Amino acid sequence: MRRTAAEAAETRKAIIHSALHRFAQDGWEGCSLVEVARGANVTRGAVYHHFTGKRELLDAVLAEQWHSRGEALLAVLDTSAPPEARLTTFLADYLRRLREDTDFRELAVVTVLVASQAPAVKSGLEQKTAAVARWSERIARLLTECEQRLRAPLDVGRFSITAFLHGATLTAALTPEDLPEPECCETTARALVAGLINIESP
């Protein structure tokens, strides 16, 4: 029984991964569950065993992918490094993933372009909204650590970082070639952080 449950979980994971790719490539209307099944190396019936249809599948893609990837990205904000170093690493990692990680870039495409086309996709977008709220809270907490060195009020700093993240996500979805090259991601992040925090000389 345990082996069967594990196999079912692996099948579901493969379907989610295939669906992420197909939604990103084909959009809401063009995405075919037959192609999703083919990409996951399962039958169409297996897809329907796990999901009632395309809308529930998209909902699961958004909810599960943002939950797992969001937590991995945020982990750096809780390390013991100086706040400006943690923030720089977080922003650089986000840019680098958008540039180099195909799955993460496809998640940006699905979130920005595909979800808006689908009827009544709720919990997946709610998961993304909840993730953004957690990010905003963690960023605010980090900025509070160096509030005396902020070049603008804390709310302005938090807005600037959130707007940067949204802008990078939109760029990845619409014009990914405009994203900074991998070797420039840290420089880009450092420039933003230096504009927000007066970094003390060692």
Side-chain angles (χ1 to χ4, degrees), residues 32-199:
S32 157
L33 293 186
V34 172
E35 291 302 318
V36 170
R38 184 174 289 123
N41 200 28
V42 299
T43 65
R44 188 174 180 219
V47 176
Y48 277 108
H49 174 75
H50 289 275
F51 304 98
T52 58
K54 195 159 65 167
R55 187 173 64 193
E56 185 181 358
L57 181 54
L58 176 59
D59 201 57
V61 167
L62 290 168
E64 296 179 23
Q65 290 292 307
W66 275 114
H67 175 74
S68 61
R69 292 175 178 277
E71 288 307 309
L73 275 162
L74 286 172
V76 70
L77 296 181
D78 295 326
T79 65
S80 59
E84 59 270 22
R86 280 179 275 153
L87 184 56
T88 299
T89 301
F90 167 69
L91 295 174
D93 188 32
Y94 191 83
L95 285 176
R96 202 173 288 114
R97 288 180 191 232
L98 286 174
R99 182 79 193 196
E100 298 184 309
D101 183 339
T102 301
D103 288 348
F104 192 67
R105 189 167 57 253
E106 288 183 339
L107 180 58
V109 171
V110 173
T111 302
V112 172
L113 302 180
V114 179
S116 61
Q117 302 168 2
V121 173
K122 292 183 179 177
S123 66
L125 289 177
E126 287 168 1
Q127 181 70 44
K128 170 62 168 64
T129 301
V132 169
R134 286 196 304 276
W135 292 20
S136 182
E137 180 186 337
R138 301 272 269 280
I139 289 166
R141 199 183 316 150
L142 182 145
L143 292 175
T144 300
E145 292 180 40
C146 54
E147 193 165 4
Q148 297 304 313
R149 295 189 286 124
L150 292 180
R151 299 181 187 277
L154 190 145
D155 284 347
V156 173
R158 181 168 57 178
F159 170 79
S160 299
I161 294 166
T162 303
F164 175 82
L165 294 171
H166 283 306
T169 305
L170 188 61
T171 300
L174 297 176
T175 56
E177 66 278 4
D178 289 338
L179 289 167
E181 294 293 335
E183 63 272 14
C184 296
C185 289
E186 187 169 349
T187 303
T188 304
R190 199 181 302 120
L192 174 62
V193 172
L196 295 172
I197 302 171
N198 183 17
I199 299 172

Side-chain angles (χ1 to χ4, degrees), residues 1-14 42 50:
M1 177 68 72
R2 238 179 273 152
R3 187 174 64 84
T4 302
E7 287 176 350
E10 283 301 311
T11 297
R12 190 179 190 281
K13 183 178 177 182
V42 299
H50 289 275

